Amino acid sequence: MKIAMIGQKQVPSRKGGIEVAVEALSVRMAARGHEVTLYNCRRCCKGEKREEKKPLRWDYLGVHIHEIPVVNVKGVATMLGSLLGTLCAAGRRYDCVHFHGEGPAFMAFLTHALGIRTVVTIHGLDWQRSKWGRFASWYLKWGEKIAATCADEIIVLSRAMQEYFRKVYDRNTTLIPNGIEKPVNRAAERIIQLWNLKKDSYILYLGRIVPEKGLENLIRAFAEIKTEKKLVIAGEPSDADAFYQRIQTMAERDSRILFTGFVEGELLDELYSNSYLYCLPSDVEGMPISLLEAMSYGNCCLCSDIPECTEVLGQYGFFFRKGDRKDLRNVLQRLCREPELIERSRSQVSDYVCENYNWDETVRKTLMLYSE
């Protein structure tokens, strides 16, 4: 089949769950003999060096990459990238155009009008995210409505999302969760050199630095517990620079809190492999790939009790009431005082997540949906 995917910013990249998912899907589809083209949304900043003359068209592990240059303006870049990518794809006779995310799904009306088979994956209710202004939230909500009306098939990542579309739009969807691979666990070496982080000496948050991830509550709750462990916040802001600066200012009073910035490769492996506890305090999620990753490394995990997290973690971790700082503080303190709870959670979590969330199975189900 000839398949186009639209909605990712950059592939290859680890800067968002959509990017990780699109790379995993497209590379595996190409390996099975399908022709896959990704229309990346390349944000161009004033005065930058044209990304070292990176070509607009290139191949990556058998996948065709088309870069769509757009202005780097919050709330505008994704819209322009999706529009231009859709227009480019419209004349190339793809068997399927696959939109990822509610914003890009706004353009599904074009492919639908042109008679092109259209699939939309809803990675989360993006209009609920607090980083967006009024217009962006309106646009994202309309993207969701257009997907419900115009897409031939809608993929969702959780049962909660499936029920949402049934109730709000009376629309059937297909549940195909994200996957994970068995990772390489690494001893603490570089993280000791860079930040003096030893095995089991820190609590880890790893992901995008945006308001809906609940980081303000995490920082306040951690400040109130008695422990010698550090809190490591790894990641970078996504259209939320002011928020990033605010939480850094909040954390200045506590020398135990460390910001690493964006991490990948062996450094990321080391952070996951040696943490005492992984914490995801989100208010809004689609299907958190960072949680799947943390579980695959054998981490004990603590999450907010939103359905998207409870469905993935189940009985293999711990929860606190969403947005409840005191409850988060109490659970954190308990887990720091009772390491036997940590070890009990670690014993089965990696095998469980790798058996139940598999990229090859995700690709098989997605290709079956295309074929139908």
Side-chain angles (χ1 to χ4, degrees):
M1 287 179 283
K2 291 182 65 176
I3 303 155
M5 294 191 184
I6 298 170
Q8 66 283 348
K9 295 174 184 176
Q10 287 292 300
V11 171
S13 171
R14 283 194 49 87
K15 295 190 176 182
I18 288 179
E19 286 69 34
V20 172
V22 169
E23 179 179 349
L25 291 171
S26 60
V27 168
R28 287 168 174 79
M29 289 178 181
R32 296 186 183 200
H34 301 286
E35 184 180 331
V36 186
T37 302
L38 307 184
Y39 289 90
N40 284 349
C41 178
R42 181 199 288 184
R43 298 189 178 195
C44 300
C45 300
K46 185 177 180 181
E48 71 178 335
K49 299 179 180 179
R50 296 187 180 182
E51 298 189 2
E52 298 179 353
K53 297 183 179 179
K54 187 177 180 180
L56 293 179
R57 297 188 182 186
W58 52 291
D59 288 346
Y60 171 72
L61 299 179
V63 178
H64 305 307
I65 307 289
H66 284 210
E67 303 279 357
I68 307 295
V70 296
V71 294
N72 187 21
V73 177
K74 178 182 175 181
V76 175
T78 300
M79 180 173 63
L80 283 176
S82 302
L83 172 60
L84 296 173
T86 304
L87 293 175
C88 289
R92 296 185 179 273
R93 297 183 180 180
Y94 290 106
D95 296 305
C96 173
V97 172
H98 190 158
F99 293 98
H100 289 269
E102 290 185 331
F106 191 100
M107 301 303 162
F109 80 92
L110 280 174
T111 52
H112 176 73
L114 293 170
I116 302 170
R117 295 295 181 181
T118 303
V119 174
V120 173
T121 294
I122 301 295
H123 290 262
L125 300 182
D126 293 335
W127 56 270
Q128 293 182 346
R129 302 184 191 276
S130 57
K131 70 177 182 177
W132 300 119
R134 183 175 300 176
F135 172 77
S137 296
W138 171 88
Y139 180 81
L140 291 166
K141 183 71 171 179
W142 266 100
E144 176 183 297
K145 293 178 180 179
I146 289 171
T149 304
C150 297
D152 293 288
E153 297 288 349
I154 298 176
I155 296 172
V156 294
L157 308 181
S158 67
R159 287 189 292 270
M161 195 68 64
Q162 200 168 32
E163 182 65 13
Y164 171 82
F165 271 86
R166 189 190 67 79
K167 284 185 175 180
V168 175
Y169 301 106
D170 193 24
R171 173 69 197 250
N172 291 326
T173 59
T174 302
L175 174 60
I176 307 179
N178 287 325
I180 198 68
E181 290 182 328
K182 192 76 173 179
V184 176
N185 284 76
R186 298 184 184 275
E189 294 179 358
R190 291 187 62 199
I191 61 173
I192 292 177
Q193 297 170 3
L194 291 171
W195 305 299
N196 194 30
L197 296 175
K198 300 175 183 178
K199 176 72 173 176
D200 290 338
S201 69
Y202 59 94
I203 296 166
L204 175 65
Y205 166 84
L206 194 150
R208 291 179 298 119
I209 311 296
V210 289
E212 66 269 12
K213 293 293 187 179
L215 289 169
E216 289 184 87
N217 263 349
L218 175 59
I219 290 171
R220 289 193 174 100
F222 181 79
E224 296 175 3
I225 68 172
K226 296 179 180 179
T227 181
E228 294 182 357
K229 299 188 187 300
K230 295 180 180 179
L231 172 61
V232 176
I233 299 176
E236 64 181 7
S238 175
D239 294 313
D241 292 335
F243 173 76
Y244 192 24
Q245 293 172 6
R246 184 164 79 247
I247 63 170
Q248 284 181 311
T249 301
M250 285 175 54
E252 286 177 353
R253 301 175 183 175
D254 194 331
S255 61
R256 300 173 298 169
I257 301 176
L258 167 68
F259 291 83
T260 69
F262 178 72
V263 295
E264 59 184 345
E266 293 183 6
L267 199 58
L268 178 136
D269 290 337
E270 287 190 25
L271 281 174
Y272 272 136
S273 300
N274 297 283
S275 69
Y276 178 75
L277 173 70
Y278 178 80
C279 186
L280 184 66
S282 297
D283 297 326
V284 179
E285 283 290 350
M287 184 181 198
I289 286 181
S290 62
L291 176 58
L292 293 176
E293 289 178 338
M295 293 170 69
S296 72
Y297 283 86
N299 278 282
C300 175
C301 299
L302 168 62
C303 300
S304 58
D305 62 354
I306 59 176
E308 292 80 3
C309 289
T310 58
E311 185 176 328
V312 173
L313 189 55
Q315 63 182 349
Y316 295 93
F318 298 88
F319 300 97
F320 70 95
R321 291 185 296 274
K322 182 188 82 169
D324 189 329
R325 177 179 55 81
K326 291 183 179 180
D327 194 33
L328 174 56
R329 177 198 64 197
N330 293 339
V331 179
L332 278 173
Q333 187 68 81
R334 182 189 176 201
L335 292 174
C336 286
R337 286 175 175 169
E338 302 180 42
E340 64 274 13
L341 296 177
I342 299 289
E343 291 303 324
R344 194 182 309 160
S345 176
R346 286 173 172 174
S347 62
Q348 295 178 311
V349 67
S350 179
D351 289 339
Y352 161 75
V353 75
C354 291
E355 287 173 8
N356 289 276
Y357 296 90
N358 181 280
W359 278 125
D360 289 330
E361 183 66 9
T362 299
V363 169
R364 186 189 69 79
K365 291 179 178 179
T366 305
L367 287 172
M368 185 181 299
L369 196 69
Y370 291 168
S371 298
E372 291 172 354

